[in-house]
Amino acid sequence: MSGRWWESRWFLAAAMLLAAIPLLWPAVPPLTDLPGHIGRYRVMLGDEAALLDTYYAFEWRLVGNLGVDLLVAALAPLIGLEPAVKLVVLAIPVLTTGALLWLSRELTGRESPWALFALPLAYSYPFQFGFVNYCLAMALALGGWALWLWLGRLQRIALRAAIFVPLGLIVWTCHAMGWAMLGLFVFAGEWAARVKGRSLARAAFDAAIASLPLAPPVLAMLLWRGGGAPADTGRFFDLIAKLKGLGSVLRDRWIWLDLPALLVIVMAVYAGIRGQAGRFEPQAAAAAGLTVLAFLLLPFTLLGSAYADLRLLPFAFAVALAGLTPREGAPVRIIALAGLAFFLIRTLGTTASFALYDADWRRELAALDQLPRGARVFALVGDGCDQPWAHSRRTHLPAFATARRAAFANDQWRMEGAPLLRVPLPLGYFAHDPSQISVEAACPHDPNLLPRDRALAAFPRDAFTHVWLIDAPTAPASLHGLRPVWKQDGSALYAIDRSASRLPAGAAPQ
């Protein structure tokens, strides 16, 4: 390698291809929430309407959370549901990687070698958790800000305004928070570019005026939230959760790998703040600073979306590193080689982790071979009150019964405000998430979770045909009236025996 190889087009292409490697082997990206989305997509496509319309009601609505849904709706009829999901989700870290390198060029004038340390953040915890619409929107937001800066550098202000009116609507449609972050990035950059020689208030006013092409989605948000029950918002200033969120920025499987990797990123940013690693470009510093402020001010749950605040942190680090210019005389090639090594190590670790999660999913999903089409499945997925660092990611595996066997499963989210998918069946607590999450004893921090034996006694057996226990070992007495059709270690699929007398039902939660 010679010269500034990290600034070449071939390296950009290679980095984007490298970002795809962890997702090449798994049949379905092993992200915690993704199976739940896949179940919804099957209902959305309507190709199993004869069975699924009995259990679910789907209605398209204009909501700021449709990015992957719309792409899957377009691709699935051509290549199939799960290949379409894999293709779209695989594209997210690829686009994020390319957007970060482009953004670094626009912020610093050339790709900073420090930007290579930001590339593993394409697989940050929000992506690992399966917030795919949000992560797609953030990839577009990072690329959108780079486009904004490029057009500004070319003095194409009118063209930029014309492009960003529809582009803002596109990003909002993918995910409203992604659009909000695009607006934050643009505003911060415009403010930093204007603040020299002006008052802070004047610079902020001028930056807001410059950012107006991104404003039209505000009307869409008013329409989105104009009807229905208000969605939950709460847990402001939960400092313990925020500290855990900071530690989980790169959380995947191995804490001994994930925390040191986060420490590398934190030390690089800290060295930039101290001036030891270089200097932050003003626009990057303003954007990263405002993102951290938003993280501190936002609640844990915003309009029904959990982890609303914690989703922002990876992108604060990413923007900061993308805009960190090495100090004069710094060994830029050594920094770049260290960044490349960091990127490669994280990519190899993520690849191995995803292969292990994929193998675990395949073992559990073998139960579906014994499940009749159109069945009604009451699933219980073993979990604990205190989750380990490497979470099993099985929480929404029951949705594969919907996706692959056109069956009902009790794991779909209940969304307030403007839901696309509803469960009209009169099942109460047992109709939706979190009734599929199974714990051995009551959790003090979440009283809505029924202990496993109590759930098996309380669920309405007449409304279901099967019980699917996923890593949920259960006392034999709780399995009265259930006939085993598949077993494997601590998992099992049972058919409900209608002729068996039923155990007395426990009280369902209020």
Side-chain angles (χ1 to χ4, degrees):
M1 295 183 185
S2 60
R4 292 179 176 266
W5 48 266
W6 62 92
E7 297 177 353
S8 64
R9 291 184 178 180
W10 72 259
F11 178 76
L12 172 64
M16 294 176 70
L17 290 174
L18 189 62
I21 287 177
L23 292 170
L24 293 179
W25 172 256
V28 178
L31 313 178
T32 302
D33 279 359
L34 188 60
H37 295 301
I38 293 174
R40 183 179 72 253
Y41 301 154
R42 175 60 73 197
V43 181
M44 171 190 77
L45 292 173
D47 52 2
E48 295 282 6
L51 295 172
L52 292 177
D53 283 1
T54 307
Y55 310 134
Y56 300 103
F58 185 89
E59 179 183 356
W60 282 108
R61 298 190 183 191
L62 179 62
V63 298
N65 194 9
L66 292 177
V68 177
D69 299 62
L70 292 173
L71 292 172
V72 169
L75 290 172
L78 303 176
I79 62 176
L81 172 56
E82 291 181 21
V85 171
K86 177 172 179 173
L87 180 62
V88 173
V89 173
L90 185 149
I92 293 173
V94 173
L95 291 173
T96 303
T97 299
L100 281 171
L101 292 174
W102 182 20
L103 179 61
S104 181
R105 173 176 288 273
E106 295 304 322
L107 287 170
T108 67
R110 57 199 313 174
E111 282 94 335
S112 169
W114 288 110
L116 275 62
F117 288 88
L119 300 186
L121 291 165
Y123 282 91
S124 63
Y125 193 51
F127 182 80
Q128 301 271 354
F129 211 95
F131 301 145
V132 288
N133 286 339
Y134 169 72
C135 290
L136 174 61
M138 286 306 302
L140 297 179
L142 292 169
W145 189 26
L147 176 61
W148 178 281
L149 294 171
W150 179 67
L151 291 172
R153 179 163 55 84
L154 297 179
Q155 296 297 311
R156 304 298 299 272
I157 306 304
L159 175 62
R160 185 173 72 180
I163 290 174
F164 272 80
V165 169
L167 183 59
L169 287 166
I170 291 171
V171 176
W172 178 86
T173 302
C174 287
H175 198 280
M177 189 171 286
W179 162 77
M181 291 302 296
L182 173 59
L184 183 149
F185 293 156
V186 166
F187 171 82
E190 294 298 310
W191 177 83
R194 288 169 165 78
V195 71
K196 188 174 182 179
R198 306 187 193 186
S199 69
L200 297 180
R202 178 66 187 185
F205 177 80
D206 291 345
I209 295 299
S211 305
L212 281 178
L214 290 168
V218 172
L219 178 59
M221 291 193 72
L222 293 175
L223 294 174
W224 173 24
R225 294 295 173 183
D232 291 339
T233 293
R235 290 180 64 182
F236 285 89
F237 307 114
D238 188 337
L239 297 182
I240 294 178
K242 291 183 188 297
L243 285 174
K244 289 181 178 179
L246 173 60
S248 297
V249 165
L250 285 174
R251 180 178 175 181
D252 180 6
R253 173 182 290 271
W254 297 292
I255 192 170
W256 52 265
L257 179 63
D258 301 337
L259 283 184
L262 173 61
L263 183 61
V264 169
I265 289 176
V266 171
M267 289 176 62
V269 172
Y270 179 71
I273 294 172
R274 293 287 302 272
Q276 297 168 335
R279 66 178 181 86
F280 292 109
E281 295 300 323
Q283 291 175 311
L290 277 182
T291 302
V292 171
L293 180 61
F295 160 72
L296 294 173
L297 294 178
L298 280 177
F300 179 84
T301 303
L302 179 66
L303 299 177
S305 294
Y307 300 93
D309 53 348
L310 308 186
R311 301 182 194 202
L312 306 186
L313 269 183
F315 299 99
F317 285 121
V319 167
L321 290 170
L324 180 56
T325 301
R327 59 181 171 79
E328 191 70 25
V332 292
R333 289 183 179 83
I334 293 177
I335 295 171
L337 286 171
L340 177 60
F342 181 62
F343 183 30
L344 289 172
I345 291 169
R346 286 299 301 176
T347 300
L348 289 174
T350 304
T351 301
S353 174
F354 278 14
L356 292 172
Y357 281 124
D358 176 67
D360 178 70
W361 280 20
R362 290 175 188 266
R363 285 192 298 268
E364 298 295 344
L365 294 177
L368 296 180
D369 294 337
Q370 308 302 320
L371 183 70
R373 286 174 49 78
R376 301 185 298 278
V377 180
F378 177 64
L380 289 175
V381 182
D383 210 336
C385 297
D386 296 316
Q387 296 180 355
W389 184 266
H391 192 249
S392 70
R393 305 196 184 187
R394 301 179 185 130
T395 306
H396 288 281
L397 281 188
F400 277 110
T402 303
R404 296 181 177 180
R405 306 299 293 166
F408 173 81
N410 57 308
D411 83 311
Q412 285 295 316
W413 298 277
R414 180 176 59 179
M415 300 296 294
E416 304 292 349
L420 300 181
L421 186 71
R422 294 183 297 105
V423 177
L425 302 176
L427 299 176
Y429 170 81
F430 300 102
H432 48 72
D433 176 273
S435 67
Q436 88 284 7
I437 299 176
S438 173
V439 292
E440 290 189 12
C443 295
H445 67 276
D446 194 347
N448 289 326
L449 295 180
L450 277 180
R452 190 172 305 147
D453 293 340
R454 186 180 169 200
L456 284 169
F459 84 97
R461 296 194 177 201
D462 291 344
F464 293 91
T465 62
H466 291 76
V467 172
W468 186 10
L469 303 181
I470 300 176
D471 192 27
T474 305
S478 298
L479 304 176
H480 176 79
L482 303 180
R483 175 174 54 83
V485 295
W486 175 89
K487 281 190 174 184
Q488 176 180 267
D489 300 328
S491 300
L493 179 68
Y494 298 90
I496 296 176
D497 185 354
R498 303 294 184 197
S499 64
S501 60
R502 179 162 178 196
L503 290 177
Q510 299 298 315

